[in-house]
Amino acid sequence: MTHPLPTYFISHGGGPWPWLPEMRRMFANLEASLVEMRQEKPRAVLMVSGHWETDEVAVMSSPNPPMVYDYYGFPPETYQIKYPAPGAPELAQRTADLLKSAGHKVSLDPQQGFDHGTFAPMAVIWPEADMPTYQISIRKDYDPATHFAIGRALAPLRDEGVLIVGSGLSFHNLRMFGPQAKVPSEAFDAWLDQTLALPAAKRTEALEHWETAPYARVCHAQEDHLVPLFVALGAAEDAQAERVYHDVMLRGGVTASSYRFS
């Protein structure tokens, strides 16, 4: 009998960092944690990126997803990056069917490409770009309970060889990267770690009310990069949380973490 795959919430780093030597050195600890994910040996990867938002859930269905350069201010060559991993159209349909069966409105999107919340970490985990990869969007309402429910609907994929990865950042306030982020990001990160150690029901309830956490709205003025956590955890709601990455980055200011749920 095979065990279901774990799920992950990863802090995916900044922009096209794997292609920029200085940034790659800064994210050396993050890179090491991402490389460890190769051990899971999935059939495919389903990414829930904080960079793709829709009114209702959409599922990437292209067999050969294009690229989405959703960052700005980086060198020109980073807008020519290619990560030519194959998509997973059959699994996209399976994913849509699971969501529909759970009562969610969902559509297939054959045009959507890989955003940097997907292609940057995947280029580190599977640099050969041979792992079938597809994405689902997060909803623009960011509702925690709804995204937990989306994760629950996706849980059967774990038994079918699909590695579900929530790709965001445990701190995401673009106006505060640097020393001014030190106190709020440390406090929120400590709350998150303590909360993820709670029993499942209490953990879900606490995360559904994440805005009561210390510095919650300072660390996530807009919670697009936190919402992927709700989906990843919803798909493994009774699982134990293991922190697999913890670092202070970006000029000593931002404390960030990643988790494995198994």
Side-chain angles (χ1 to χ4, degrees):
M1 179 178 179
T2 59
H3 295 286
L5 285 172
T7 70
Y8 283 84
F9 171 68
I10 61 170
S11 289
H12 63 227
W17 65 269
W19 289 269
L20 299 170
E22 184 177 351
M23 288 190 75
R24 191 158 189 166
R25 287 191 293 272
M26 181 175 68
F27 288 120
N29 292 335
L30 174 60
E31 179 167 357
S33 72
L34 294 173
V35 168
E36 285 295 311
M37 293 171 65
R38 293 178 195 167
Q39 68 181 336
E40 308 301 352
K41 297 180 172 59
R43 168 187 171 198
V45 173
L46 172 56
M47 279 280 189
V48 187
S49 170
H51 288 276
W52 185 22
E53 302 178 22
T54 52
D55 291 328
E56 304 289 352
V57 183
V59 185
M60 175 190 292
S61 59
S62 171
N64 301 107
M67 303 293 287
V68 178
Y69 305 110
D70 54 344
Y71 41 77
Y72 58 91
F74 288 94
E77 62 269 20
T78 63
Y79 299 89
Q80 304 299 320
I81 289 167
K82 301 297 181 186
Y83 184 74
E90 292 183 5
L91 284 170
Q93 184 62 63
R94 166 68 172 152
T95 300
D97 290 344
L98 287 170
L99 290 165
K100 287 177 182 176
S101 295
H104 299 280
K105 293 182 179 180
V106 61
S107 62
L108 295 174
D109 188 333
Q111 306 300 322
Q112 179 65 28
F114 296 138
D115 60 59
H116 82 265
T118 292
F119 72 73
M122 287 295 292
V124 173
I125 308 168
W126 282 284
E128 298 85 4
D130 56 357
M131 177 61 65
T133 304
Y134 67 117
Q135 295 184 218
I136 66 167
S137 65
I138 60 172
R139 286 172 42 126
K140 290 180 179 178
D141 60 17
Y142 302 148
D143 181 64
T146 299
H147 287 89
F148 267 104
I150 289 168
R152 293 182 195 113
L154 300 177
L157 294 174
R158 298 175 56 210
D159 292 306
E160 300 170 19
V162 178
L163 184 66
I164 299 170
V165 181
S167 179
L169 271 171
S170 59
F171 174 93
H172 193 254
N173 184 333
L174 296 178
R175 297 180 179 181
M176 287 192 66
F177 282 130
Q180 65 268 36
K182 179 176 174 57
V183 172
S185 67
E186 281 182 352
F188 186 82
D189 191 83
W191 173 87
L192 184 62
D193 195 55
Q194 293 165 8
T195 298
L196 290 174
L198 293 171
K202 290 184 178 180
R203 177 173 65 185
T204 298
E205 181 180 5
L207 286 168
E208 286 182 348
H209 297 90
W210 69 274
E211 289 179 272
T212 65
Y215 297 98
R217 277 298 176 190
V218 175
C219 296
H220 294 279
Q222 184 170 302
E223 60 265 39
D224 50 336
H225 277 56
L226 187 64
V227 166
L229 168 63
F230 307 147
V231 180
L233 190 51
E237 200 159 16
D238 295 326
Q240 183 175 356
E242 175 191 3
R243 188 160 64 183
V244 293
Y245 165 71
H246 179 67
D247 202 1
V248 179
M249 57 182 183
L250 295 175
R251 298 181 296 279
V254 176
T255 297
S257 295
S258 300
Y259 288 87
R260 180 180 189 266
F261 305 109
S262 65

